[in-house]
Amino acid sequence: MKRKKGLGLLMVGVMMAGLLTGCGGNNNGNSGNNEPASAPANTANEQEANAPAEGKKLVVGFAQIGQESGWRDAETASIKETFESDPNFELKFSDAQQKQENQIKAIRTFIAQKVDAIGLAPVVESGWETVLKEAKDAGIPVFLLDRGITKGNEDLYTSFIGSDFILEGQNAAKWMTDEFGTDKPVNIVQLEGTVGASAANDRKKGFEDAIKDLPNYKIVYSQTGDFTRAKGKEVMEAYLKQNKDIQVVYAHNDDMALGAIQAIEEAGLKPGTDIKIIGVDGVKAAFEAIAAGKMNVTVECNPLLGPQLKQAILDVKAGKELEKWIKSAEDVYFGQKAIDALPNRKY
Ligand code: GZL
């Protein structure tokens, strides 16, 4: 361990020199073109400085959830691009197909392979204590990406890199109350994300807390669509068969919102006009739906977290103290602002 650490530190020192001289990467996702400010390309001598020192690369194991949404695919692309394009890193990537037991298995494999760092996007909040304790006992730093785990386990991971889901829910509610005011009845269908996921729990909490003292706002139906377009459509179809007197759909991600739009059209109603559509993520298809008048707002949640994960790993290997929560900076897009941003959206 000593030798590895020594080597690791030596190489990181070399890389840090390269990083400090070469790239001014930024540490938070930003709105507008939804790309973190790209670092200038390395010049020849910076590439030299970044060249892997003798000995091993930093090996990173990433336990990804799956491929349930456009957002998830964008996050996977960001992680792969970040680590596979850097000769100082080796990425071991696993796709759990939405199953927590597969993520736990992947983490155990990474521990057995003695990786230098583990990244995890926890599909649900609970059930991680045992395996993350095994990683801690093995001296391997764990970084949570995009979703959190049950509170009280902060000692089991180095940092959480991701968004403020409660704020996202509040921003969704704010758009709605700005749009409708408070003096007329507003019936809402809420399409919830994956049961038990922090993104779903907190987007629900932020939204519902924001309207709990507004008697005219009623959530008439709330059901999980598991963050997928197909399920979002299915849930919306079933509900419209029993009641069409709704004014808003609040979907915990854009993919479910896009599925609901299809169901609303097939029921003979006009999404975006008869029923206002609120999504979260900021995927390109949502911007296109807003431009087409079929969707009203998307609350951005930045998936381009690869650069932040890499920087966090380098900082820890260089002995730096990290924030427990490395937050993404995000925005809310509707109307002309969404139309103007569409050409620059990268995911
Ligand atoms: C948010 C992420 C969520 C996205 C969904 O950080 O966990 O999971 O909002 C994705 O699109 O499925």
Side-chain angles (χ1 to χ4, degrees), residues 68-69 71-72 146-147 165 199 203 227 252-253 280-281 301:
E68 76 282 358
S69 65
W71 189 98
R72 182 70 48 204
D146 100 66
R147 291 188 191 175
F165 302 129
R203 284 172 186 166
F227 282 134
H252 290 180
N253 81 335
V280 185
D281 276 350
C301 174

Side-chain angles (χ1 to χ4, degrees), residues 65 67-72 75 98 121-123 145-147 160-163 165 168 194 197-200 203 226-228 252-255 280-281 283 301-303 305:
I65 294 174
Q67 305 168 48
E68 76 282 358
S69 65
W71 189 98
R72 182 70 48 204
E75 183 188 63
Q98 315 298 321
V123 60
L145 219 64
D146 100 66
R147 291 188 191 175
F160 164 60
I161 301 170
S163 305
F165 302 129
E168 290 171 350
T194 301
S198 62
R203 284 172 186 166
D226 208 13
F227 282 134
T228 69
H252 290 180
N253 81 335
D254 292 336
D255 284 54
V280 185
D281 276 350
V283 296
C301 174
N302 192 341
L305 302 175

Side-chain angles (χ1 to χ4, degrees), residues 249-296:
V249 170
Y250 166 51
H252 290 180
N253 81 335
D254 292 336
D255 284 54
M256 293 189 292
L258 294 163
I261 286 168
Q262 278 177 282
I264 291 166
E265 288 182 313
E266 288 169 12
L269 296 169
K270 288 171 72 187
T273 310
D274 299 335
I275 300 177
K276 304 295 184 189
I277 311 292
I278 304 172
V280 185
D281 276 350
V283 296
K284 195 163 195 169
F287 283 77
E288 289 161 347
I290 292 171
K294 296 185 178 180
M295 186 165 173
N296 302 88

Side-chain angles (χ1 to χ4, degrees), residues 4 15 27 52 83 133 151 169 196 212:
K4 186 178 98 175
M15 284 194 287
N27 232 351
F83 290 99
K133 178 97 177 45
K151 302 255 178 306
K212 68 179 185 309

Side-chain angles (χ1 to χ4, degrees), residues 64-106:
Q64 181 57 293
I65 294 174
Q67 305 168 48
E68 76 282 358
S69 65
W71 189 98
R72 182 70 48 204
D73 295 344
E75 183 188 63
T76 291
S78 173
I79 291 161
K80 287 185 172 176
E81 202 281 323
T82 298
F83 290 99
E84 290 172 353
S85 65
D86 186 330
N88 298 306
F89 285 89
E90 180 195 337
L91 177 68
K92 294 180 181 301
F93 184 88
S94 112
D95 174 335
Q97 279 125 38
Q98 315 298 321
K99 293 190 176 64
Q100 180 176 29
E101 64 265 26
N102 290 345
Q103 289 192 293
I104 291 172
K105 266 190 220 135

